[in-house]
Amino acid sequence: MRKNDTRSPFSNLIGKDPYSLFKGVKTPSFIIDEAQLIYDGKILKKVQEDTGCSILLAQKAFSNYDLYPLLENFVAGTEASGLYEARLGKEEMPNKEVHVFCGAYREEEFEEILTYADHFVFNSVNQFKKYAKRAKEAGKSVGLRVNPECSTQVGHDIYNPCAPGSRLGVTVKAFEEGMGIEELKLLDGIHFHTLCQQNSDDLAKTLKAVEAKFGKYMHNLKWVNFGGGHHITRDDYDIALLEECIKHVQSTYGVHVYLEPGEAIVLNAGYLVTKVLDTFDNGDTHIAILDTSAACHMPDVVEMPYLPPLYQSDLEGYGYKIRLGSQTCLSGDVIGDYNFEGPLKEGDMLIFGDMALYTTCKTNTFNGMPLPDILLLHEDGSIETLASFGYEDFKHRLGKAE
Ligand SMILES: *Cc1c(COP(=O)(O)O)cnc(C)c1O
């Protein structure tokens, strides 16, 4: 998935014997790593101090709000994909900005969202015409998501908003056909979100396309939002180039720059602890069935797809390959093939890394799989339970509550 990541997702567990640290933990559980949140947060804080830009937490990647009081030391606010996330951001990080981008707003929700969000980003000229004036009259800032039509990722069209026929963002053609003088007068900012786990060279490329297409309108704006997908807290991320891009846009156009990463804010800041339920061989393949599921607990493993890091696997000299799969009926519910020193056995604990992002907020109970509890590993090594789940959580979504 990601190249050249030299800081291990398990760096904070070195010297701590995680198998004993997590010994009493019910499996499966997500464990959020407070020390890593602070590590990531300091990097993001420094970018804001160096440049004067604002970084927002994209809540769709991480919305464990018990950590918002910690995160608000490092971010300027939250970014939401719609009503519920906007409300969560307002409730749980009340002193910070709330920004919202939504593919389309609903009439019956709009008045309520107005009470939560400060910035509204619209996905079409139509939606802008329908809602921008109302938002402005309520004292809000309004923007349009643009599509710079500049793909910097190949082979991942599910995560590429610049793919042909994309529904996300207004192309320059639609912008110029649709935005009249009145609309342009209302417009406070533009927003683009085209990156996914990318470095700042791809941002620089994208910015060139944004400027070529929309630069002449940018002088009249108050802000430009660079979206998410900036892998800022990764070891090989070129922060100097990011800061150059931010300063360039701020000084050329006199605008404030926002970034709204999700992943980068919680990169490597969580684990998924699971146990082996069974092991067997099918032909030449060694198999272990775990009490977690890729499809239910780490859906990006199937969707993206990627191989999540696993503590103490694939080390040098480890040649015993085992396929790690789930209890569910889905043939493809396999986390991946990993190399171990030797066979696993029932009851063995496995610890997956980088499990804070797109996990706790993306789980489901397909096959009646239990939801993992959500725990917090404090800096001092103590472990606190933030949320725990049971049968009721599975049942109540499916029918009449008793
Ligand atoms: C997904 C998304 C983000 C966050 O993306 P990451 O890849 O997690 O950094 C930010 N803004 C918008 C509009 C998004 O759709």
Side-chain angles (χ1 to χ4, degrees), residues 307-325:
L307 187 73
L310 175 65
Y311 185 66
Q312 289 197 330
S313 71
D314 298 319
L315 301 177
E316 217 173 291
Y318 279 28
Y320 194 88
K321 186 187 276 187
I322 305 177
R323 174 159 299 174
L324 302 180

Side-chain angles (χ1 to χ4, degrees), residues 108-119:
E108 65 272 27
E109 286 178 358
F110 201 72
E111 288 303 313
E112 189 184 346
I113 302 200
L114 275 178
T115 67
Y116 307 133
D118 304 297
H119 276 223

Side-chain angles (χ1 to χ4, degrees), residues 172-356:
V172 67
K173 186 165 181 281
F175 184 97
E176 293 184 337
E177 283 170 6
M179 293 292 279
I181 294 171
E182 284 310 307
E183 285 77 29
L184 286 173
K185 255 196 247 162
L186 288 177
L187 188 70
D188 294 308
I190 58 166
H191 170 290
F192 63 89
H193 170 74
T194 67
L195 305 178
C196 180
Q197 300 186 335
Q198 279 161 283
N199 212 318
S200 43
D201 54 341
D202 286 331
L203 170 64
K205 239 181 263 166
T206 302
L207 261 183
K208 283 216 169 74
V210 169
E211 290 187 78
K213 294 193 159 83
F214 300 97
K216 60 174 181 269
Y217 306 102
M218 283 160 63
H219 296 281
N220 299 319
L221 301 177
K222 297 191 177 73
W223 49 265
V224 174
N225 188 324
F226 289 6
H230 318 278
H231 237 185
I232 305 170
T233 46
R234 193 177 74 195
D235 259 11
D236 71 336
Y237 188 88
D238 185 349
I239 291 181
L241 179 58
L242 168 70
E243 295 189 345
E244 238 176 76
C245 291
I246 295 168
K247 287 179 184 164
H248 164 73
V249 168
Q250 296 195 143
S251 65
T252 308
Y253 304 99
V255 293
H256 187 80
V257 167
Y258 288 95
L259 284 86
E260 47 182 36
E263 289 214 10
I265 293 185
V266 296
L267 193 67
N268 291 330
Y271 313 102
L272 176 58
V273 179
T274 174
K275 281 206 177 105
V276 175
L277 297 177
D278 190 20
T279 60
F280 52 87
D281 292 348
N282 264 346
D284 294 335
T285 310
H286 304 307
I287 289 169
I289 303 289
L290 311 183
D291 63 5
T292 187
S293 152
C296 300
H297 304 152
M298 33 184 142
D300 279 8
V301 166
V302 181
E303 200 176 285
M304 184 78 182
Y306 81 102
L307 187 73
L310 175 65
Y311 185 66
Q312 289 197 330
S313 71
D314 298 319
L315 301 177
E316 217 173 291
Y318 279 28
Y320 194 88
K321 186 187 276 187
I322 305 177
R323 174 159 299 174
L324 302 180
S326 147
Q327 299 162 261
T328 73
C329 69
L330 175 71
S331 330
D333 195 353
V334 166
I335 298 144
D337 293 349
Y338 295 83
N339 288 298
F340 295 85
E341 196 175 10
L344 290 171
K345 59 180 190 313
E346 184 185 340
D348 282 348
M349 178 190 283
L350 296 178
I351 304 168
F352 290 99
D354 197 17
M355 280 290 156

Side-chain angles (χ1 to χ4, degrees), residues 7 51 86 91 95 117 133 168 174 186 226 238 271 289 313 384:
R7 185 180 158 87
T51 62
E91 283 179 359
N95 303 318
K133 199 146 176 272
L168 295 169
L186 288 177
F226 289 6
D238 185 349
Y271 313 102
I289 303 289
S313 71
E384 182 189 357

Side-chain angles (χ1 to χ4, degrees), residues 84-128:
Y84 288 176
E85 286 184 353
R87 177 174 172 179
L88 188 70
K90 182 71 180 172
E91 283 179 359
E92 301 295 335
M93 218 188 271
N95 303 318
K96 300 280 179 164
E97 294 177 42
V98 175
H99 292 225
V100 58
F101 162 76
C102 189
Y105 297 87
R106 309 168 76 101
E107 180 58 48
E108 65 272 27
E109 286 178 358
F110 201 72
E111 288 303 313
E112 189 184 346
I113 302 200
L114 275 178
T115 67
Y116 307 133
D118 304 297
H119 276 223
F120 286 79
V121 177
F122 300 97
N123 188 44
S124 72
V125 173
N126 257 344
Q127 284 257 309
F128 188 87

